[in-house]
């Protein structure tokens, strides 16, 4: 039985226990809280891990993040998580401090430690003020098994941490984040007992061996992945500094205060999280999530992936839409089209040409193109609702060259990439494309085909124009380049070029979202044109 199957079995058994007990006594609502100062690639996996908990935890989960990021992309990821899931609060820290980390270790100082202590105390206060039954405090570089929260709740203790193992220094032995006494003593000893270094090592190894066996163990210190009961939340335990204690780290002060107030600390070892302590461990983190996936459904490897065309249209009746859709109709399985306020027969044309293909046609009463980011987000959300295997995102004046229909399904059957990029050629007439300093789109590859990851948090370039047809962080997916060419027909008629020139001058007169020089070159009477060849 592999790890994933064990997790599924454990979750099933715990659900039965939960049902019999009527909800692990009074622990029904839990606030998951974390101070976030994290690199985007690590934070992406952390948030994916938390998102999985929602469907695998019997308790009602809420989230509270204090955004202490200095990387704007990390803040965008928190916003994406908030937009995707219910009961999520993101609060800015109002502080911007550097936090050093590298492949060797992490670099803390006194200021950073007590800043984090302040954040954690705010989390305790929120859990108390909002009436939560439990508070789960977690560091933003930990990945959880899907049943972690429900399992910890089932232990029915007031303070419990799930044990994870970390090489605190590169090439050193992995150690747990829990200890027995003082700052980080990890061997048993009586108060007056004097031990040799060999005896200390022997007892430390014995402690480690015990923690590697699934169980619940009493400890003297813990942190980073901890569930607190309502009794603790109301009991005066917090992370503030104890003035006459010289121990390093806010977790030590929390644990000593908890013990002084009569709370016992426990370490659970059933579902060890994965700690991404270094960026070089990100790939191992991805493997951990894959091996600990909560999904139980099987995929029929013989069933071809569904290819969904995603498109925005607006008054296309007398332009290129008919030829474009007839071209796509030869190989797509479904279509999602946003009619952005058309006043002609555009919608009717879509229905007629795609009559034999499942079509989701959404009509905006008024055009939203002046704020393109909102329109693209609408297109994205409506497309994801159809559960596509692959999304082909094309504009209404774009089509592939002849022969693409015979190859596309083989292209998306391959498993080595989730993103496929192509070169786009700006056609200046039916037989030629433009090639000069301002018109060089075909010199680069750009994404048109995407296999969306339903757990991934996608973020956007939040600009009114030229925001991109896909989310901005799709480039983290494995990308493949294809030699099939895309014909962009939107510039191929003089009347269309004049209309576009006027539109760009109106929507972006200062070239904030594009280039003034390119806008001015649209009406160049003698552009450099190159034969496209292989035209229908």
């Amino acid at each position: 039985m592999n790890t994933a199957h064990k997790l599924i079995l454990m979750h099933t058994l715990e659900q039965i226990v939960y049902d019999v007990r009527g909800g692990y006594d009074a622990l029904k609502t839990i606030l998951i809280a974390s101070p976030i100062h994290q690199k985007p690639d690590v934070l992406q996996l952390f948030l994916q891990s938390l998102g999985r908990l929602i469907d695998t935890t019997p308790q009602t989960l809420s989230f509270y993040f204090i955004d202490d990021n200095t990387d704007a992309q990390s803040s965008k990821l928190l916003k994406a998580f908030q937009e995707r899931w219910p009961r999520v609060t993101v609060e800015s820290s109002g502080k911007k401090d550097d936090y050093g980390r590298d492949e060797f270790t992490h670099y803390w100082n006194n200021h950073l430690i007590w800043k984090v202590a302040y954040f954690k105390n705010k989390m305790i206060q929120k859990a108390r003020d909002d009436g939560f039954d439990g508070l789960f405090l977690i560091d933003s570089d930990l990945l959880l098994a899907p049943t972690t929260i429900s399992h910890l709740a089932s232990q029915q203790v007031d303070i419990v941490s799930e044990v994870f193992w970390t090489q605190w220094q590169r090439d050193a032995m992995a150690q747990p984040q829990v200890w027995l006494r003082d700052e980080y003593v990890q061997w048993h000893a009586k108060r007056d007992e004097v031990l040799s270094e060999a005896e200390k090592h022997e007892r430390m190894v014995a402690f480690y061996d015990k923690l590697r066996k699934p169980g619940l163990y009493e400890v003297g210190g813990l942190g980073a992945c901890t569930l607190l009961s309502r009794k603790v939340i109301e009991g005066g335990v917090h992370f503030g500094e104890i003035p006459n204690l010289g121990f390093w780290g806010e977790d030590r002060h929390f644990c000593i205060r908890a013990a002084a107030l009569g709370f016992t600390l426990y370490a659970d070892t059933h579902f060890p999280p994965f700690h991404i302590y270094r960026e070089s461990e990100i790939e191992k983190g991805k493997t951990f999530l894959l091996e600990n996936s909560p999904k139980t459904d099987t995929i029929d490897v013989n069933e071809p992936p569904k290819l969904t065309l995603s498109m925005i249209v607006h008054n296309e009746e007398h332009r290129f839409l008919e030829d474009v859709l007839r071209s796509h109709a030869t190989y797509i399985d479904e279509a999602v089209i946003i009619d952005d306020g058309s006043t002609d027969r555009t919608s009717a044309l879509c229905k007629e040409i795609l009559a034999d293909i499942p079509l989701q046609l959404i009509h905006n009463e008024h055009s939203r193109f002046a704020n393109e980011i909102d329109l693209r987000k609408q297109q994205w959300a409506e497309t994801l609702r159809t559960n596509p295997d692959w999304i082909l995102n094309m504009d209404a004046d774009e089509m592939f060259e002849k022969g693409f229909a015979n190859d596309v399904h083989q292209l998306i059957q391959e498993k080595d990439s989730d993103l496929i990029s192509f070169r786009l050629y700006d056609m200046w007439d039916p037989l030629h494309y433009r090639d000069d300093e301002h018109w060089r789109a075909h010199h680069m590859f750009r994404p048109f085909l995407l296999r969306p990851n339903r757990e991934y948090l996608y973020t956007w370039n939040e600009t009114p124009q030229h925001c991109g047809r896909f989310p901005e962080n799709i480039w983290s997916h494995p990308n493949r380049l294809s030699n099939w060419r895309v014909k962009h027909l939107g510039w191929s008629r003089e009347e269309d070029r004049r209309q576009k020139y006027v539109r760009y001058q109106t929507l972006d007169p200062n070239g904030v979202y594009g280039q003034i020089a390119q806008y001015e070159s649209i009406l160049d009477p003698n552009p450099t044109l190159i034969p496209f060849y292989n035209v229908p």
Side-chain angles (χ1 to χ4, degrees):
M1 182 181 294
N2 62 32
T3 303
H5 289 156
K6 289 179 181 177
L7 289 174
I8 294 167
L9 177 60
M10 178 68 75
H11 175 59
T12 303
L13 294 174
E14 288 189 350
Q15 181 65 53
I16 294 172
V17 172
Y18 179 88
D19 292 339
V20 171
R21 289 180 181 169
Y24 297 151
D25 299 324
L27 197 62
K28 297 178 181 178
T29 61
I30 296 175
L31 178 66
I32 297 178
S34 180
I36 310 288
H37 184 110
Q38 193 54 264
K39 296 182 178 180
D41 288 348
V42 177
L43 184 58
Q44 175 74 243
L45 299 181
F46 170 72
L47 294 175
Q48 284 180 230
S49 170
L50 294 189
R52 291 178 171 188
L53 299 174
I54 295 173
D55 293 329
T56 58
T57 305
Q59 291 82 9
T60 299
L61 301 181
S62 298
F63 299 87
Y64 176 38
F65 302 127
I66 295 181
D67 181 0
D68 190 50
N69 292 297
T70 55
D71 190 316
Q73 184 62 23
S74 294
S75 295
K76 284 186 176 183
L77 287 171
L78 291 179
K79 179 182 177 183
F81 188 89
Q82 186 178 35
E83 291 175 347
R84 179 166 182 177
W85 299 112
R87 300 181 298 277
V88 179
T89 300
V90 178
E91 177 184 313
S92 174
S93 71
K95 306 175 187 293
K96 299 296 179 184
D97 297 301
D98 290 330
Y99 170 48
R101 70 197 94 174
D102 55 29
E103 285 299 299
F104 180 70
T105 190
H106 293 201
Y107 300 93
W108 288 90
N109 58 46
N110 202 54
H111 167 71
L112 293 175
I113 284 174
W114 298 116
K115 181 178 78 168
V116 170
Y118 168 74
F119 293 158
K120 291 180 179 179
N121 285 342
K122 289 189 68 174
M123 293 166 181
I124 293 175
Q125 180 180 344
K126 181 173 178 62
R128 181 172 58 248
D129 293 347
D130 292 356
F132 286 95
D133 300 323
L135 171 65
F136 183 66
L137 296 168
I138 181 171
D139 287 358
S140 63
D141 53 5
L142 293 175
L143 308 181
L144 300 178
T147 55
T148 300
I149 301 292
S150 59
H151 174 76
L152 290 177
S154 74
Q155 301 308 298
Q156 301 186 69
V157 296
D158 289 312
I159 303 177
V160 57
S161 283
E162 194 66 30
V163 174
F164 59 88
W165 298 76
T166 306
Q167 291 176 285
W168 301 114
Q169 284 79 38
R170 195 172 181 86
D171 300 324
M173 176 177 60
Q175 296 177 275
Q177 95 285 10
V178 299
W179 60 98
L180 294 169
R181 59 184 175 88
D182 298 338
E183 277 192 287
Y184 196 55
V185 173
Q186 294 180 313
W187 58 85
H188 287 281
K190 297 178 182 178
R191 189 175 299 277
D192 59 350
E193 191 173 13
V194 178
L195 300 176
S196 67
E197 291 302 315
E199 288 172 323
K200 292 177 183 177
H201 179 74
E202 181 180 355
R203 294 188 184 187
M204 183 180 71
V205 170
F207 178 58
Y208 287 2
D209 287 344
K210 181 171 69 172
L211 292 180
R212 289 190 175 95
K213 299 173 183 176
L216 183 70
Y217 306 103
E218 186 175 335
V219 293
L222 42 71
C225 187
T226 307
L227 180 64
L228 310 179
S229 72
R230 181 71 190 178
K231 185 177 179 181
V232 177
I233 294 169
E234 295 179 334
V237 183
H238 61 84
F239 289 85
E241 183 178 9
I242 301 174
N244 61 343
L245 182 67
F247 289 168
W248 178 261
E250 81 285 357
D251 286 334
R252 276 79 177 171
H253 294 247
F254 170 88
C255 293
I256 291 172
R257 183 176 281 109
L261 290 172
F263 292 103
T264 302
L265 310 178
Y266 291 94
D268 184 87
T269 59
H270 287 85
F271 298 100
F274 184 85
H275 190 194
I276 308 179
Y277 193 63
R278 299 172 179 84
E279 285 191 90
S280 60
E281 296 166 336
I282 288 175
E283 290 305 315
K284 291 181 180 178
K286 293 178 181 178
T287 300
F288 174 87
L289 288 183
L290 184 64
E291 292 178 346
N292 289 274
S293 172
K295 296 177 182 177
T296 59
D297 55 320
T298 58
I299 298 174
D300 184 355
V301 295
N302 296 316
E303 182 180 343
K306 181 174 72 170
L307 177 57
T308 299
L309 172 67
S310 180
M311 182 179 288
I312 295 171
V313 296
H314 174 75
N315 288 342
E316 312 288 348
E317 180 184 5
H318 300 297
R319 299 187 71 243
F320 311 100
L321 184 62
E322 182 172 357
D323 288 341
V324 165
L325 288 183
R326 292 196 187 282
S327 172
H328 294 318
T330 61
Y331 56 81
I332 62 171
D333 302 300
E334 189 171 18
V336 177
I337 297 178
I338 308 291
D339 184 352
D340 189 42
S342 294
T343 56
D344 60 5
R345 293 188 66 256
T346 293
S347 286
L349 200 57
C350 292
K351 293 176 183 178
E352 292 170 10
I353 298 172
L354 301 179
D356 298 327
I357 295 173
L359 169 64
Q360 302 294 323
L361 183 62
I362 298 93
H363 183 76
N364 292 339
E365 185 175 352
H366 303 289
S367 175
R368 304 173 69 179
F369 187 78
N371 193 25
E372 186 185 359
I373 181 62
D374 288 343
L375 183 58
R376 288 297 186 181
K377 284 185 174 181
Q378 179 192 19
Q379 177 192 14
W380 175 253
E382 294 292 348
T383 304
L384 289 184
R385 267 192 203 99
T386 66
N387 293 316
D389 294 319
W390 282 87
I391 298 172
L392 175 64
N393 194 329
M394 304 288 285
D395 288 347
D397 54 7
E398 296 171 344
M399 59 193 295
F400 279 92
E401 63 182 312
K402 186 177 180 180
F404 178 73
N406 298 324
D407 191 49
V408 59
H409 285 285
Q410 178 62 36
L411 204 60
I412 62 177
Q413 285 279 11
E414 299 180 18
K415 305 296 183 183
D416 63 342
S417 59
D418 296 324
L419 189 66
I420 306 177
S421 297
F422 307 84
R423 287 176 294 175
L424 178 142
Y425 291 74
D426 289 312
M427 306 300 293
W428 226 249
D429 64 36
L431 301 176
H432 300 84
Y433 63 91
R434 184 166 175 176
D435 183 9
D436 57 42
E437 62 177 318
H438 298 302
W439 300 90
R440 303 173 65 85
H442 52 283
H443 287 231
M444 66 184 71
F445 288 83
R446 54 190 74 212
F448 287 88
L449 267 171
L450 170 70
R451 177 174 20 215
N453 182 335
R454 288 163 181 79
E455 292 185 344
Y456 195 79
L457 292 171
Y458 292 98
T459 62
W460 289 84
N461 178 21
E462 301 276 348
T463 60
Q465 292 292 306
H466 303 295
C467 60
R469 70 183 72 203
F470 279 126
E472 65 181 346
N473 60 341
I474 60 171
W475 293 107
S476 63
H477 295 343
N479 179 37
R480 181 155 33 108
L481 306 182
S482 171
N483 287 325
W484 287 107
R485 300 179 295 173
V486 177
K487 295 194 295 183
H488 181 208
L489 305 173
W491 301 101
S492 62
R493 301 189 308 195
E494 183 176 355
E495 61 269 30
D496 292 329
R497 293 197 288 271
R498 293 189 179 278
Q499 289 177 7
K500 288 193 175 188
Y501 175 81
V502 172
R503 186 176 72 189
Y504 286 131
Q505 292 296 327
T506 302
L507 296 179
D508 190 20
N510 298 316
V512 175
Y513 310 111
Q515 299 177 358
I516 290 291
Q518 186 187 44
Y519 295 165
E520 294 298 332
S521 74
I522 292 173
L523 302 182
D524 187 341
N526 297 301
T528 302
L529 302 183
I530 307 294
F532 187 81
Y533 302 112
N534 195 28
V535 292

